[in-house]
Amino acid sequence: MSEPAFPEGAGQRVLLTAFEPFDGAALNASWEVARRFADRTIRGATVVPWRLPVVFGEAIAELDRALAATAAHLVIALGEARGRAAVSLERVAINVDDARIPDNAGSRPIDRPVVAGGPAAYWTGLPIKAIAARLRDEGIPAEISQTAGTFVCNHVFYALCQRQAEGARTMRGGFIHLPALPEQQPQPVLPLAVSLRAVALAIEVSLARRQDMVAAGGALA
Ligand code: PCA
């Protein structure tokens, strides 16, 4: 697709965070995708990939370094969700760390708030319904996810939303979980090229829209 004459993202910076491998894996699908956006421009906006450690606390400290270094207008945080078959557009970050497995520093918090005294939850700042619709238009499996889990991904997502809610400057952000890559079989997997396209579309839609669209994305229990 050709760039529009007056791109929505002109002069803006998009921070694209992703994670190092965890739980003994050799790679993390989220970083394999994010690192390929280095030096890319989408709709006039510069994309800056940034790798975060899978460590409670340190991941947020690194997110803060990335936010300070880039002064990003849009932040899309990526993570890998083994076992999920579709690109998962996360709706809500919750204020709890409850680790079923140790993080990469061996820490395993249980029922601890991400931010003591913070609200129970924050909504994403991304137009997730519009992103899901755009992905499905291109035949990419996409879903609205009602939970980003309670491990390091949700931890970073919550901190990002808190910075968005309380920050002095305008920044919008949210979280997307990606399925595993084919070399990580056996799992439900999504080819690298498809995840790359999904993330590029998510950035495009997020730059183009201030408001989300109205479309069903709920789930029955
Ligand atoms: N996925 C984990 C942490 C890092 C990642 O890529 C999660 O979903 O919390």
Side-chain angles (χ1 to χ4, degrees):
M1 198 191 313
S2 64
E3 287 272 314
F6 299 101
E8 301 92 341
Q12 298 199 25
R13 287 168 304 284
V14 179
L15 173 62
L16 188 63
T17 71
F19 286 97
E20 66 182 2
F22 67 105
D23 199 21
L27 54 80
N28 186 314
S30 69
W31 180 244
E32 293 310 305
V33 170
R35 69 185 179 85
R36 288 175 165 86
F37 281 85
D39 303 321
R40 268 188 68 174
T41 299
I42 295 182
R43 304 244 154 183
T46 305
V47 184
V48 183
W50 203 290
R51 198 167 87 139
L52 305 178
V54 181
V55 177
F56 288 100
E58 277 181 36
I60 293 178
E62 191 61 29
L63 171 70
D64 282 338
R65 280 191 281 275
L67 291 172
T70 59
H73 303 80
L74 172 68
V75 183
I76 297 192
L78 302 176
E80 174 191 298
R82 290 175 213 165
R84 290 194 193 177
V87 174
S88 289
L89 303 153
E90 299 295 349
R91 188 197 293 266
V92 58
I94 60 175
N95 193 12
V96 67
D97 294 330
D98 192 348
R100 193 165 46 77
I101 58 170
D103 70 11
N104 284 354
S107 159
R108 221 182 134 186
I110 293 175
D111 293 350
R112 194 175 70 186
V114 179
V115 175
Y122 283 110
W123 304 119
T124 185
L126 299 180
I128 53 172
K129 303 283 181 76
I131 296 170
R134 185 70 186 279
L135 266 53
R136 290 183 192 133
D137 277 352
E138 294 217 3
I140 299 174
E143 66 190 5
I144 302 301
S145 165
Q146 325 298 343
T147 173
T150 56
F151 194 50
V152 182
C153 286
N154 174 74
H155 181 78
V156 162
F157 183 22
Y158 186 91
L160 173 62
C161 292
Q162 194 220 22
R163 273 62 171 164
Q164 175 176 245
E166 297 183 358
R169 47 182 300 285
T170 310
M171 176 269 279
R172 292 178 297 138
F175 201 97
I176 300 176
H177 265 116
L178 299 174
L181 293 169
E183 56 263 50
Q184 297 173 284
Q185 279 176 3
Q187 323 234 12
V189 296
L190 203 60
L192 178 65
V194 179
S195 278
L196 285 169
R197 181 73 184 140
V199 172
L201 287 172
I203 293 171
E204 270 190 39
V205 173
S206 300
L207 287 170
R209 295 186 77 106
R210 298 281 131 182
Q211 302 291 323
D212 204 354
M213 64 185 276
V214 177
L220 299 183

